[in-house]
Amino acid sequence: MPTVILIDVSLSMTRPVSLDGSEEFQRKNLAVHGLNMLFEHMASNYRLEFTSLMAFSSLWELLVPFTRDYNALQEALGNLEDYDKTCVESALNGVSNVVQQEWGSACPCQVVLVTDGSLGIGKGSLRQSLQSLKHRGDDKKFPLPFPFPTKLFIMSVANAEELQMTDSMDNLEELLRLSGGDGQIFTVEGPLCMKSVQAMFGRLIDHAYSPFHAVLHCGNLSSDVQVFPRPEPIVMDEEVEPMPRSVNIDLEIVGFIEIADISSPPVISRHLVLPINVNKEVDEVGTGTTDELEEEPSASQMAGKSPNFCVLLHGSLKVEGMVALVQLGPEWYGMLYSQADSKKKSNLMMSLFEPGPEPLPWLGKITHLGPISEAAENPYGEDDSKSPFPLQPPVKRSYAQNVTVWIKASGLQTDVQKILRNARKLPDKTQTFYKELNRLRKAALAFGFWELLKGVADLLERECTLLPDSAHPDAAFQLSHAAQQLKLASTGDSQYAAFDHNIAPMHTDFSS
Amino acid sequence: MKMFSVSHKTVFVVDHCPYMAESSRQQVECDVLTKSRAQGVIPLAPVSKSLWTCAVECSMEYCRILYDVYPLHKLINYIVSDSEFHILNSWRHEDQSTHELMSALAAVGPPNPREDPECCSILHGLVAAVESLCKITELQHERRTSLMDTAERVANRGRIICLTNTKSDTHVRMLEDCIQETILEQNKLAAGSDRLMAIQQCDLVLVHIHPQGEDTLVSDRPKKEISPLLTSEVHSVRAGRHLSTKLNILVQQHFDLASTTITNIPMKPTLNVCDQEEQHANTSANYDVELLHHRDAHLEFFKSGDLHMAGSSTRENGLKETITLKWCTPRTNSIELHYCTGAYRISPTDVNSRPSSCLTNFLLNGRSVLLEQPRKSGSKVISHMLSSHGGEIFLHVLNSNRSTLEDPPSISEGCGGRVTDYRITDFGEFMRENRLTPVSESSHDPSGKLPVERAKAQLERHTRYWPMIISQTTIFNMQAVVPLANLIVKETLSEEDLLTCQKTVYNLVDMERKNDPLPISTVGSRGKGPKRDEQYRIMWNELETLVKTHAGATNRHQQVLDCIVACRSKPPEEEERKKRGRKREEREDKTEKNGTKETDDKSWQESERLKGLLDKEEQEPEVIKDSPDSPEPANKKPRLCTEEVQPAERAKGPVSLLTMWSNRITVANSRKHQEFVGRVSSVNNKFELYQQLKDENGMDVHENGKASR
């Protein structure tokens, strides 16, 4: 989930913070300090996250486009300049553009808005933006909610009391609500100082940027892994099940399925599964100090050399063209597979299915998938030539049956012509003739279209009179028999008009 | 869409009063004469459908689309109303199919024009519809039972679609009032019943059907709220084509559907699975097919406002929009795993038209088609895929945006990435054995475990001892061990399995006597690696470790272990001495070489690895000890010591019954107490004291490692 850092560089951010100490800080310095801390954390624990940095005042500027280069981000933070007043709306428009250009409108995104809570005055202020919300045309819509799913984190370099003195807090809350409600407003606790700002960013890190660690199990084989990006809790049906579901920290492999059998299933999200060395991670939790940098290579070298289950699993999944079905929680499953990128680098990837007992209709209920050893004979065949998948639905869909639809005149004409065509080739086409005749009869009865039955009966009688001399005598018998049966059905007489009754060919071969 | 939204339950109420027998005045020419036969033949008079026929076929089309797109949980109850009401099906799942409904409709037949219009009314049906909405469905029942104390979360909402011919707007209002009253009445009744639920929301969709060319007395009215429980809308439509268009729009609105037109479908001979006798089969034009599906398949277009860019077009009636996607060659193959963000069932709008059936048959034969989104810039973006799974066709939405997971660190750069001798092929075999298969819900397992739990249990059994790298194992590199290794992981062993296992063990004994080489990894050691007898010791240890993890399962598993313990040969004293002598030489040899090549850290690494290997082997019995499932390791310490000095009898190859029996007794006894080190490792009841002094110079690195434990 990419992150956009949106930092307020209006003049109000340069307000000095009164401190007991000797040095004087601006709010901007505090904000930069907090963001540096966030970047350092991400560089060591969340380094696959794409982050971009935008500064805004009455205008906005993309300082660093989406990158994983946290040095570049930190460098840009060091070169911030001061501008005029705060205008949140235009900045949010900027975010919307930047994100959609890069990731489209389906990719969930995190937006971290860093501001001091003075949200501008007059035209362009957040207050004014929110007040005019209802009187806008389609061309000047407020940028929230964004088209893409958003988590909005508002980092206010001010404490809650300060925000509540004005209507800033209300406005920020309204902003969060407009964005879809997913996110949080963080305020400084206690007096404004380095420490309290650090604590506030610490809370953001815990809330949104702590790596997701899990254990991948396959029977007794297991591996500690980081799942990136973090799988977010989801709500399937807020009415029936309002509590969000989260992914377990124990990921249990249930069994294996061929790629052709799972056949490009729909997934709600994709995640890298990276094996980790737990001991090393413990070291890393302390914010990356410089001493560690020297130790790290040897530690990771050692980790590289001890066998890891993820690597084994990945290798075999790739070679065999299979996926592993993995249980993520109660009635929630996903799949593990090998994913190669354009540069031939490949990786273990996990995709999450929609929660529920039967995420893929062609596999059936997951709880009813069992080991092949239980089957009387191998459902894949001795030479892997067969497969028990896909499962067939109990009822065929309309396009897989020969349904009759006469909504367009052409549908009806085609069906009548088919009967006539076969009628002319009697007795060779006796079977097809009666099959088509009975299909028409059934539909006409269901639709209460008795007039058609009479009409077709007339047509058959006419065909009978037009038969050439050379025609087989059977043809005439069958035609008049069929016409007579249709006429009987068109009376609605229950004896002849039963839906399940079929007109049988007239028995003309008396030799046997 | 919520599980229990208004669209969970739909009641069709279709008017069966005498008036509906009137002609729609839309004529169908069904006698299309071919030119060659036209002379002298009087064509048949065109037929025309009655209002009833129009209503029935359009409502059936609505049902067809619904059942195609939502085969589950979107239910229809069909009611016909004349002098009384006729309920044609129930909410039950087995009643939900067009075939069931057609059969019931045939039994009802067309309205009787001679029936007394005074006794006939649509009201009978509408009242029955409200009653029906109160009836609980299977899904509602199931959910209520499973939610227990939060059962009130299961809502009861529904929709009534009434196809009728009303007299006037006043008449419509009268019908609405009547429904409102019935809902209130029925809700009171429902409060006191388990099988009934009060209606929380009901949407009435009233479609007034009138014949062609007749002015309507009823006006259209958009949805309005009659009461908090009831909303109502009125559509006044001419019978025939207009009615079917209307119901097609309604089914899309009611069930969040959208339309996609697949364009540029090539008419190739391979595609041409349609009726061969069609006269125009040799036209080679590309054709279009319109499909309906859940509108989320277009989510990306809606959000990005690309709707028009993506080639959407408004239809002649100004109400229906479709998005055009282009058929794309080359096609995709089934072993490719696409990143797909959604898959939605489809239903062709014109199901039995020639192009539709060609496309659907093509897909049903198991082929997939990628679809391309036309863009202004001319760039090619593949956004969707059509594919069938088990006789159902799905529109897959493919991700066409940049991935946030691009350029990840390769797996070879992470933990375990430098190891090169993973048992990839063996694990592949393991995965094949642990593939899944659907187990019918009716087949009940005596253990009471669900199939998926049994699959997990099998994985657990198969991985009790599973070394991940080739150099960590000997037995799994040996063809001779395969039969035993495959069988021992089974939950139960047959008598035949047991015999096979025992045969495998005897075969190994035989190999040892013939001094056959073992595929022991020589990666870790220079030169020839461990000596032959050492190799066999390692092999037997490993085999024992494997079998021990399963010994607790059944008696027969234990018997396999017993067989191994009994059969594995231990080198006699003399051999042992000889071996030690050899080792001493070897060690000297090694130190000498190491002396010359001290900087060669590769050799250091290798010996480290070998040491690790042996250490690991030592640890294994301990690991097993921790597992509650397996018995205490029989005689771990003694075993480690006995390798040094062994009773002479055991070395003589084939074992006597007495030895086997006494072995078993010894094993049993040793479980009860910790055996004296001296007694266990004694030779002919004699034990050599101060061995370590003698060994001090005579042991290589590994042995030292062991002795120190």
Side-chain angles (χ1 to χ4, degrees):
Chain A
M1 212 172 5
T3 294
V4 181
I5 308 279
L6 187 58
I7 183 167
D8 185 348
V9 289
S10 65
L11 273 180
S12 65
M13 287 291 282
T14 63
R15 281 182 291 167
V17 178
S18 48
L19 281 183
D20 303 337
S22 51
E23 272 186 281
E24 196 173 81
F25 290 114
Q26 298 176 351
R27 291 193 189 226
K28 188 177 85 173
N29 302 129
L30 293 181
V32 167
H33 178 70
L35 284 173
N36 268 323
M37 178 181 148
L38 174 65
F39 290 155
E40 267 163 27
H41 167 84
M42 289 166 89
S44 54
N45 294 303
Y46 218 66
R47 78 191 92 183
L48 293 177
E49 177 85 345
F50 278 100
T51 304
S52 78
L53 181 65
M54 281 171 69
F56 77 102
S57 54
S58 61
L59 301 170
W60 61 270
E61 185 186 359
L62 178 63
L63 297 179
V64 185
F66 286 99
T67 179
R68 285 172 178 156
D69 180 356
Y70 285 91
N71 289 332
L73 287 162
Q74 282 182 307
E75 205 173 296
L77 269 189
N79 302 327
L80 286 183
E81 283 176 48
D82 304 323
Y83 294 93
D84 56 344
K85 61 173 189 172
T86 311
C87 177
V88 178
E89 181 174 346
S90 71
L92 292 175
N93 269 321
V95 171
S96 183
N97 289 341
V98 167
V99 170
Q100 285 191 78
Q101 231 162 55
E102 196 76 47
W103 310 107
S105 52
C107 174
C109 215
Q110 319 200 71
V111 178
V112 179
L113 169 63
V114 186
T115 177
D116 58 351
S118 90
L119 302 166
I121 41 164
K123 201 160 185 286
S125 71
L126 184 60
R127 180 188 303 126
Q128 197 261 343
S129 290
L130 294 176
Q131 277 167 354
S132 66
L133 220 49
K134 284 180 189 138
H135 329 285
R136 290 173 182 235
D138 270 351
D139 50 331
K140 277 208 152 190
K141 265 198 178 148
F142 193 65
L144 291 182
F146 291 129
F148 43 89
T150 318
K151 276 181 186 273
L152 178 61
F153 299 110
I154 301 173
M155 311 302 291
S156 108
V157 192
N159 54 36
E161 293 78 47
E162 192 186 330
L163 296 180
Q164 276 152 1
M165 277 195 291
T166 60
D167 60 354
S168 290
M169 191 53 130
D170 297 336
N171 285 333
L172 291 177
E173 277 171 359
E174 177 66 7
L175 202 63
L176 185 61
R177 197 188 59 76
L178 283 173
S179 84
D182 201 358
Q184 205 171 322
I185 300 172
F186 292 91
T187 55
V188 170
E189 281 171 8
L192 209 55
C193 65
M194 283 288 186
K195 242 187 172 163
S196 56
V197 168
Q198 219 168 330
M200 174 174 77
F201 274 87
R203 277 180 281 138
L204 170 70
I205 289 171
D206 288 345
H207 183 84
Y209 293 99
S210 54
F212 184 91
H213 289 173
V215 185
L216 176 64
H217 298 275
C218 174
N220 292 300
L221 297 168
S222 70
S223 170
D224 290 291
V225 294
Q226 180 185 347
V227 178
F228 179 89
R230 311 190 326 167
E232 300 293 333
I234 62 161
V235 177
M236 284 307 292
D237 185 327
E238 56 203 11
E239 188 174 273
V240 182
E241 198 188 322
M243 288 296 289
R245 296 196 189 202
S246 328
V247 171
N248 272 353
I249 53 163
D250 282 298
L251 309 170
E252 253 187 297
I253 290 179
V254 169
F256 302 88
I257 294 180
E258 310 269 352
I259 284 183
D261 288 339
I262 201 110
S263 72
S264 299
V267 300
I268 53 175
S269 60
R270 287 197 310 172
H271 309 263
L272 287 168
V273 177
L274 308 160
I276 49 167
N277 188 344
V278 174
N279 297 331
K280 192 185 130 214
E281 285 303 310
V282 173
D283 288 342
E284 269 191 3
V285 169
T287 43
T289 50
T290 43
D291 327 336
E292 262 181 18
L293 285 174
E294 280 166 36
E295 271 178 56
E296 216 183 33
S298 67
S300 70
Q301 245 171 26
M302 287 303 286
K305 276 178 191 157
S306 58
N308 189 296
F309 172 61
C310 282
V311 186
L312 172 68
L313 175 69
H314 168 266
S316 300
L317 289 175
K318 188 174 180 176
V319 170
E320 299 287 336
M322 288 172 118
V323 305
L325 203 61
V326 60
Q327 180 155 20
L328 312 167
E331 290 200 337
W332 195 5
Y333 302 87
M335 62 171 177
L336 290 161
Y337 54 97
S338 160
Q339 168 86 20
D341 72 359
S342 50
K343 290 170 192 152
K344 298 275 178 202
K345 279 193 197 172
S346 73
N347 246 292
L348 190 60
M349 192 86 98
M350 178 165 77
S351 289
L352 313 189
F353 300 144
E354 211 164 72
E358 198 181 334
L360 309 174
W362 50 97
L363 296 191
K365 275 192 187 142
I366 303 282
T367 48
H368 280 82
L369 296 180
I372 49 169
S373 58
E374 282 183 11
E377 65 181 283
N378 189 347
Y380 290 92
E382 289 314 314
D383 51 352
D384 275 341
S385 55
K386 293 190 288 185
S387 169
F389 301 108
L391 244 57
Q392 301 287 332
V395 183
K396 280 187 177 174
R397 303 283 88 91
S398 71
Y399 45 80
Q401 324 170 18
N402 199 0
V403 292
T404 315
V405 180
W406 290 333
I407 286 181
K408 285 189 180 164
S410 62
L412 179 58
Q413 284 157 358
T414 312
D415 284 348
V416 173
Q417 289 305 311
K418 252 187 223 165
I419 293 174
L420 290 182
R421 216 167 34 236
N422 285 301
R424 281 163 213 148
K425 288 176 189 157
L426 286 172
D428 298 345
K429 294 275 182 182
T430 308
Q431 293 305 320
T432 348
F433 171 74
Y434 279 100
K435 194 180 133 222
E436 291 299 333
L437 191 73
N438 280 311
R439 193 166 77 87
L440 176 124
R441 174 186 171 277
K442 270 193 166 56
L445 288 173
F447 298 150
F449 201 179
W450 293 354
E451 197 182 336
L452 178 72
L453 294 176
K454 283 178 212 135
V456 174
D458 291 344
L459 275 177
L460 293 180
E461 278 172 352
R462 189 189 69 196
E463 283 305 314
C464 199
T465 62
L466 290 174
L467 281 173
D469 297 340
S470 59
H472 195 282
D474 258 10
F477 283 125
Q478 297 296 358
L479 284 175
S480 49
H481 166 68
Q484 187 202 2
Q485 289 291 316
L486 284 185
K487 283 211 167 131
L488 284 170
S490 74
T491 60
D493 185 332
S494 61
Q495 196 189 335
Y496 301 101
F499 185 72
D500 288 322
H501 174 79
N502 275 324
I503 302 177
M506 193 180 183
H507 189 61
T508 52
D509 183 4
F510 301 104
S511 61
S512 55
Chain B
M1 206 191 289
K2 284 183 202 151
M3 189 179 279
F4 298 111
S5 67
V6 175
S7 50
H8 177 51
K9 292 165 147 178
T10 305
V11 189
F12 261 105
V13 182
V14 183
D15 202 336
H16 195 248
C17 299
Y19 184 81
M20 293 294 283
E22 288 225 349
S23 162
S24 66
R25 293 180 213 159
Q26 198 176 26
Q27 297 190 324
V28 188
E29 199 77 59
C30 62
D31 188 18
V32 185
L33 292 171
T34 49
K35 277 175 198 153
S36 59
R37 292 167 53 87
Q39 294 115 4
V41 179
I42 305 148
L44 195 80
V47 288
S48 85
K49 295 173 188 169
S50 64
L51 292 182
W52 164 258
T53 300
C54 288
V56 167
E57 69 176 2
C58 293
S59 61
M60 288 317 292
E61 182 68 0
Y62 182 106
C63 297
R64 178 188 72 78
I65 292 168
L66 176 60
Y67 288 143
D68 274 355
V69 181
Y70 298 97
L72 289 168
H73 305 331
K74 303 279 178 244
L75 309 172
I76 286 175
N77 191 205
Y78 207 102
I79 295 172
V80 169
S81 181
D82 44 43
S83 60
E84 54 184 355
F85 62 83
H86 310 268
I87 301 182
L88 302 191
N89 70 338
S90 76
W91 294 125
R92 286 186 315 165
H93 189 64
E94 60 264 35
D95 277 3
Q96 299 294 316
S97 81
T98 44
H99 186 264
E100 286 295 318
L101 292 174
M102 299 265 278
S103 167
L105 281 167
V108 170
N112 179 0
R114 285 176 296 279
E115 204 165 355
D116 178 9
E118 288 308 309
C119 358
C120 292
S121 166
I122 191 71
L123 261 178
H124 303 294
L126 288 171
V127 170
V130 174
E131 283 171 17
S132 179
L133 283 180
C134 286
K135 286 184 192 143
I136 193 165
T137 66
E138 287 162 319
L139 183 67
Q140 284 176 321
H141 178 68
E142 188 193 305
R143 281 293 160 152
R144 281 214 314 186
T145 329
S146 69
L147 287 173
M148 299 292 281
D149 42 337
T150 51
E152 74 278 2
R153 281 189 195 145
V154 176
N156 189 35
R157 307 187 180 94
R159 180 178 287 124
I160 298 173
I161 303 176
C162 178
L163 305 181
T164 182
N165 180 284
T166 59
K167 294 181 189 80
S168 61
D169 289 348
T170 343
H171 188 220
V172 170
R173 261 195 301 284
M174 189 275 284
L175 293 176
E176 286 167 354
D177 291 345
C178 177
I179 291 174
Q180 168 66 19
E181 246 169 67
T182 318
I183 291 176
L184 294 176
E185 258 169 49
Q186 287 299 318
N187 279 359
K188 271 185 212 147
L189 272 177
S193 163
D194 253 4
R195 305 302 295 180
L196 297 178
M197 283 176 85
I199 296 170
Q200 281 152 303
Q201 188 191 343
C202 175
D203 288 2
L204 172 68
V205 180
L206 200 134
V207 182
H208 166 74
I209 308 171
H210 56 95
Q212 303 258 344
E214 202 169 275
D215 284 338
T216 173
L217 301 167
V218 178
S219 42
D220 271 12
R221 203 190 57 204
K223 192 164 168 173
K224 81 165 193 200
E225 197 172 277
I226 308 275
S227 81
L229 293 177
L230 180 67
T231 67
S232 160
E233 62 191 270
V234 182
H235 303 272
S236 179
V237 198
R238 267 176 293 165
R241 191 161 55 86
H242 300 275
L243 179 63
S244 74
T245 312
K246 174 58 85 184
L247 279 175
N248 188 290
I249 292 165
L250 287 178
V251 74
Q252 293 191 48
Q253 281 172 1
H254 294 166
F255 295 96
D256 292 341
L257 305 185
S259 148
T260 296
T261 301
I262 317 294
T263 181
N264 248 10
I265 306 176
M267 177 90 82
K268 285 181 187 164
T270 49
L271 289 176
N272 205 348
V273 278
C274 300
D275 191 359
Q276 304 288 314
E277 292 175 67
E278 291 274 339
Q279 294 306 304
H280 37 272
N282 49 4
T283 52
S284 62
N286 291 348
Y287 54 85
D288 295 0
V289 171
E290 189 192 349
L291 306 174
L292 293 177
H293 50 77
H294 194 276
R295 68 162 169 235
D296 277 358
H298 290 164
L299 206 60
E300 180 83 347
F301 302 137
F302 287 130
K303 275 183 172 172
S304 58
D306 269 0
L307 215 56
H308 290 277
M309 217 167 76
S312 89
S313 64
T314 307
R315 289 296 181 74
E316 65 272 25
N317 47 45
L319 282 164
K320 198 159 88 172
E321 282 198 322
T322 184
I323 280 180
T324 307
L325 294 174
K326 207 173 130 203
W327 169 286
C328 204
T329 34
R331 300 188 293 267
T332 172
N333 59 358
S334 66
I335 51 161
E336 200 175 341
L337 202 56
H338 294 275
Y339 175 25
C340 159
T341 53
Y344 306 93
R345 290 188 176 87
I346 60 104
S347 182
T349 24
D350 204 358
V351 64
N352 53 3
S353 79
R354 200 174 127 74
S356 285
S357 63
C358 280
L359 176 65
T360 52
N361 283 331
F362 177 79
L363 294 165
L364 289 172
N365 283 336
R367 280 168 287 196
S368 301
V369 181
L370 292 172
L371 301 174
E372 183 191 324
Q373 177 191 338
R375 286 207 172 165
K376 266 188 195 152
S377 57
S379 62
K380 190 165 163 174
V381 178
I382 298 205
S383 58
H384 292 77
M385 178 176 76
L386 274 173
S387 184
S388 82
H389 308 284
E392 284 186 287
I393 299 175
F394 290 80
L395 182 61
H396 290 249
V397 184
L398 304 180
N399 179 62
S400 48
N401 287 313
R402 184 182 162 191
S403 160
T404 54
L405 297 177
E406 69 184 23
D407 202 17
S410 171
I411 193 142
S412 59
E413 291 160 27
C415 292
R418 303 275 187 84
V419 181
T420 51
D421 64 337
Y422 284 107
R423 295 171 56 204
I424 301 282
T425 323
D426 289 351
F427 197 74
E429 190 52 41
F430 166 90
M431 296 194 313
R432 298 184 162 279
E433 279 159 22
N434 285 286
R435 274 180 294 185
L436 299 167
T437 186
V439 178
S440 78
E441 300 198 19
S442 52
S443 72
H444 184 71
D445 189 72
S447 67
K449 271 187 178 174
L450 283 167
V452 77
E453 295 303 323
R454 306 203 292 269
K456 282 192 211 164
Q458 175 170 313
L459 282 176
E460 192 280 325
R461 283 200 312 278
H462 283 210
T463 53
R464 285 194 195 153
Y465 176 71
W466 214 96
M468 289 195 278
I469 56 176
I470 296 169
S471 54
Q472 243 172 20
T473 179
T474 306
I475 54 171
F476 293 113
N477 301 331
M478 292 169 65
Q479 204 52 43
V481 183
V482 170
L484 185 145
N486 283 347
L487 289 171
I488 199 75
V489 294
K490 284 173 64 174
E491 212 169 358
T492 54
L493 294 179
S494 65
E495 196 55 41
E496 200 181 327
D497 294 341
L498 176 61
L499 273 173
T500 314
C501 288
Q502 286 168 335
K503 257 187 227 160
T504 310
V505 177
Y506 299 149
N507 188 21
L508 291 174
V509 171
D510 215 36
M511 281 173 66
E512 183 169 20
R513 206 175 36 207
K514 284 191 273 177
N515 224 3
D516 284 348
L518 288 184
I520 251 181
S521 163
T522 51
V523 188
S525 52
R526 285 179 316 126
K528 290 184 206 152
K531 292 294 167 239
R532 194 67 43 87
D533 43 8
E534 175 69 10
Q535 288 181 1
Y536 272 93
R537 191 183 62 78
I538 292 171
M539 185 277 290
W540 284 115
N541 279 350
E542 202 187 357
L543 190 63
E544 212 174 305
T545 307
L546 166 70
V547 176
K548 259 182 198 162
T549 60
H550 296 278
T554 65
N555 213 11
R556 289 196 180 119
H557 284 91
Q558 178 64 41
Q559 274 173 287
V560 177
L561 178 62
D562 293 347
C563 173
I564 292 171
V565 173
C567 290
R568 66 175 295 183
S569 77
K570 317 285 157 115
E573 210 178 351
E574 299 90 322
E575 289 237 345
E576 187 60 23
R577 289 234 177 80
K578 240 191 266 169
K579 185 175 106 187
R580 240 179 269 151
R582 277 206 303 267
K583 276 198 178 140
R584 197 175 298 137
E585 283 165 29
E586 196 183 296
R587 205 181 78 104
E588 278 158 10
D589 189 85
K590 229 180 220 173
T591 41
E592 210 179 278
K593 278 183 186 163
N594 277 353
T596 56
K597 283 188 184 179
E598 257 180 353
T599 45
D600 187 359
D601 66 330
K602 200 176 173 187
S603 79
W604 174 81
Q605 269 182 12
E606 281 167 359
S607 66
E608 276 300 291
R609 180 180 280 195
L610 184 61
K611 197 164 106 192
L613 193 78
L614 291 169
D615 280 351
K616 168 114 187 164
E617 209 171 277
E618 274 182 33
Q619 284 159 13
E620 272 150 14
E622 273 180 11
V623 174
I624 293 144
K625 198 170 168 184
D626 290 339
S627 156
D629 298 338
S630 50
E632 287 279 285
N635 46 357
K636 175 196 146 211
K637 282 222 172 103
R639 182 165 64 76
L640 290 170
C641 301
T642 47
E643 341 173 306
E644 304 298 315
V645 201
Q646 271 293 320
E649 308 93 85
R650 288 201 189 169
K652 283 176 186 161
V655 255
S656 71
L657 194 60
L658 174 67
T659 330
M660 277 177 81
W661 182 76
S662 52
N663 255 329
R664 200 167 171 169
I665 294 293
T666 322
V667 170
N669 283 343
S670 66
R671 275 195 206 138
K672 292 175 190 151
H673 65 90
Q674 175 93 43
E675 187 61 286
F676 293 120
V677 177
R679 189 183 293 165
V680 173
S681 35
S682 61
V683 181
N684 298 331
N685 281 333
K686 284 179 197 161
F687 178 68
E688 210 178 347
L689 295 174
Y690 306 115
Q691 285 188 54
Q692 70 272 35
L693 289 179
K694 200 169 114 191
D695 288 346
E696 232 165 41
N697 298 322
M699 297 254 248
D700 74 6
V701 198
H702 331 300
E703 309 262 346
N704 267 334
K706 239 170 221 174
S708 67
R709 281 173 56 95

